[in-house]
Amino acid sequence: MLSSFPKRRVQKMDPSGVKVLETAEDIQERRQQVLDRYHRFKELSTLRRQKLEDSYRFQFFQRDAEELEKWIQEKLQIASDENYKDPTNLQGKLQKHQAFEAEVQANSGAIVKLDETGNLMISEGHFASETIRTRLMELHRLWELLLEKMREKGIKLLQAQKLVQYLRECEDVMDWINDKEAIVTSEELGQDLEHVEVLQKKFEEFQTDLAAHEERVNE
């Protein structure tokens, strides 16, 4: 009598205990599983490499940004110094400030380069785009502050130099007045004709000198 139970496909076992696939469909299914897994593996590998490259670029950006910020902060201290209040050696201070301005301008390319690097990463959808954007905004704020302080200090140094020159000229004029004041306050009018002529000649010389000084006083 024949059994009524359905027949099942029997999968043979190799000596290691692994099932031996018997049909082409089984082989094709396993082949597809391997290919799908491998393609996913390659995708993950490519994604991992891209993330590492993005992280590497970001760390370079962070390092350069920190170095630039440190440099700007150091220069801000110099630009904020109020040495113009001390009138000693203002000409030397002006020359030093001009060299300082040249140094700042020479380094302006650093922030331009950082801008290019950061904005490129942002445009590519970098995972740290917001951090990069915030960092660039802060660096630009500090850079503009440095330029402003530098300009202000340059103006104040020039003002201090002009003030010192003005005070020196005032002092020179006052010394000249003190020196000549005896001529205009003298009560001596001459004892004879010859003496009067001598006094008149001296006074004419004084008036010539006075005319020469009048323009300077008016200025």
Side-chain angles (χ1 to χ4, degrees):
M1 182 175 178
L2 297 175
S3 173
S4 61
F5 290 102
K7 294 181 179 180
R8 292 185 300 172
R9 185 179 63 189
V10 177
Q11 293 182 326
K12 297 179 181 179
M13 304 287 288
D14 71 1
S16 65
V18 178
K19 292 180 180 180
V20 178
L21 302 177
E22 295 182 333
T23 67
E25 289 79 6
D26 290 331
I27 296 172
Q28 178 62 26
E29 182 181 353
R30 178 57 60 89
R31 171 183 175 274
Q32 194 60 48
Q33 288 176 353
V34 171
L35 288 175
D36 290 346
R37 186 71 179 273
Y38 183 69
H39 289 153
R40 177 59 181 161
F41 173 75
K42 285 187 68 176
E43 289 174 358
L44 290 172
S45 175
T46 301
L47 184 61
R48 175 63 176 165
R49 182 179 64 184
Q50 185 60 51
K51 286 182 177 180
L52 285 172
E53 288 178 355
D54 287 347
S55 179
Y56 184 74
R57 293 167 66 196
F58 177 65
Q59 293 305 324
F60 258 105
F61 172 84
Q62 284 283 70
R63 184 201 64 182
D64 293 344
E66 287 173 7
E67 289 179 354
L68 180 58
E69 181 177 3
K70 183 179 178 182
W71 183 86
I72 292 175
Q73 293 288 7
E74 290 174 354
K75 301 307 173 185
L76 266 172
Q77 291 183 1
I78 298 173
S80 302
D81 181 74
E82 297 182 340
N83 63 349
Y84 53 83
K85 292 184 176 180
D86 178 8
T88 307
N89 192 26
L90 280 172
Q91 184 59 38
K93 290 174 183 176
L94 267 170
Q95 291 175 348
K96 190 174 181 179
H97 184 72
Q98 289 168 353
F100 173 70
E101 288 178 325
E103 180 188 1
V104 171
Q105 291 302 325
N107 282 276
S108 61
I111 195 166
V112 173
K113 183 179 179 181
L114 209 58
D115 258 339
E116 292 173 352
T117 302
N119 286 323
L120 177 60
M121 286 192 288
I122 292 172
S123 68
E124 292 174 349
H126 194 282
F127 66 83
S129 290
E130 286 306 312
T131 302
I132 294 169
R133 185 178 289 108
T134 302
R135 199 81 174 91
L136 288 175
M137 289 174 61
E138 175 62 12
L139 285 171
H140 274 282
R141 185 190 69 81
L142 289 173
W143 183 260
E144 291 302 321
L145 180 61
L146 172 59
L147 295 180
E148 180 184 352
K149 292 292 184 182
M150 184 175 68
R151 283 192 295 266
E152 287 179 358
K153 185 174 180 180
I155 291 171
K156 288 177 179 177
L157 279 168
L158 287 173
Q159 289 176 340
Q161 186 186 50
K162 288 180 179 179
L163 176 61
V164 168
Q165 290 173 344
Y166 173 76
L167 294 175
R168 186 181 298 121
E169 289 173 2
C170 286
E171 188 176 350
D172 289 344
V173 171
M174 291 297 291
D175 287 344
W176 177 82
I177 291 173
N178 290 333
D179 184 54
K180 302 298 181 181
E181 199 166 18
I183 297 176
V184 296
T185 58
S186 175
E187 297 294 334
E188 187 177 11
L189 300 176
Q191 299 171 355
D192 51 37
L193 179 60
E194 184 178 353
H195 191 198
V196 171
E197 288 176 347
V198 171
L199 291 176
Q200 283 184 327
K201 185 176 181 181
K202 286 184 178 181
F203 191 75
E204 287 171 1
E205 291 173 355
F206 160 75
Q207 286 188 308
T208 301
D209 197 11
L210 176 63
H213 279 76
E214 186 169 0
E215 183 178 351
R216 185 179 179 189
V217 171
N218 290 336
E219 183 182 352

